[in-house]
Amino acid sequence: MRLLFPGGDRILFSSTHEASVECPPRPDYSHGYVWPIYNTYNIYTAKPDGSDLRKLTNTPGYNAESTISRDGKKITFTSTRNGDIDIYIMNADGSDVRQPDTRAGLRRRPFLFL
């Protein structure tokens, strides 16, 4: 996964910091590994020193697992914005969000679309 924009001037990450200063609760691992899907995740960019924070997603639901294209123009990510977990692509500034494929089985590998 690429989390540093080409040129090294910005980083890409997901966070729940706007919902609470506390981290989300730990999932129950009593039945094995669980990937928690918290509806408070959004996608952000910032300079490597943490300054110039920019929120790229502003839709209720889980928005995470993002990856930057090699040219730095597109970001793929996983979201529950339509009620189910699916893959989306957006421009690097957060505009033009679209769902590239609606076929079952391709919902958790965003990097495959770059």
Side-chain angles (χ1 to χ4, degrees):
M1 280 182 10
R2 181 182 299 270
L3 301 176
L4 186 65
F5 279 80
D9 59 333
R10 298 198 70 78
I11 58 171
L12 177 70
F13 63 98
S14 296
S15 176
T16 61
H17 75 272
E18 286 188 1
S20 175
V21 295
E22 302 295 324
C23 291
R26 293 181 58 94
D28 177 7
Y29 293 114
S30 64
H31 298 287
Y33 180 76
V34 176
W35 185 272
I37 305 293
Y38 296 113
N39 287 332
T40 54
Y41 269 106
N42 275 297
I43 300 171
Y44 302 84
T45 67
K47 291 184 178 179
D49 66 3
S51 65
D52 194 25
L53 181 67
R54 297 178 191 170
K55 185 176 182 180
L56 300 183
T57 55
N58 197 22
T59 302
Y62 175 80
N63 297 284
E65 303 176 46
S66 53
T67 304
I68 305 165
S69 62
R70 291 177 195 236
D71 63 8
K73 294 180 180 178
K74 299 287 182 183
I75 296 171
T76 60
F77 63 101
T78 301
S79 179
T80 58
R81 64 186 54 217
N82 70 355
D84 196 5
I85 193 158
D86 285 305
I87 294 171
Y88 291 83
I89 297 175
M90 64 182 164
N91 291 336
D93 65 0
S95 65
D96 193 28
V97 177
R98 60 187 174 83
Q99 190 176 358
D101 198 319
T102 58
R103 293 177 291 169
L106 296 174
R107 296 181 171 169
R108 292 299 297 271
R109 303 288 184 261
F111 59 88
L112 294 176
F113 288 91
L114 291 179

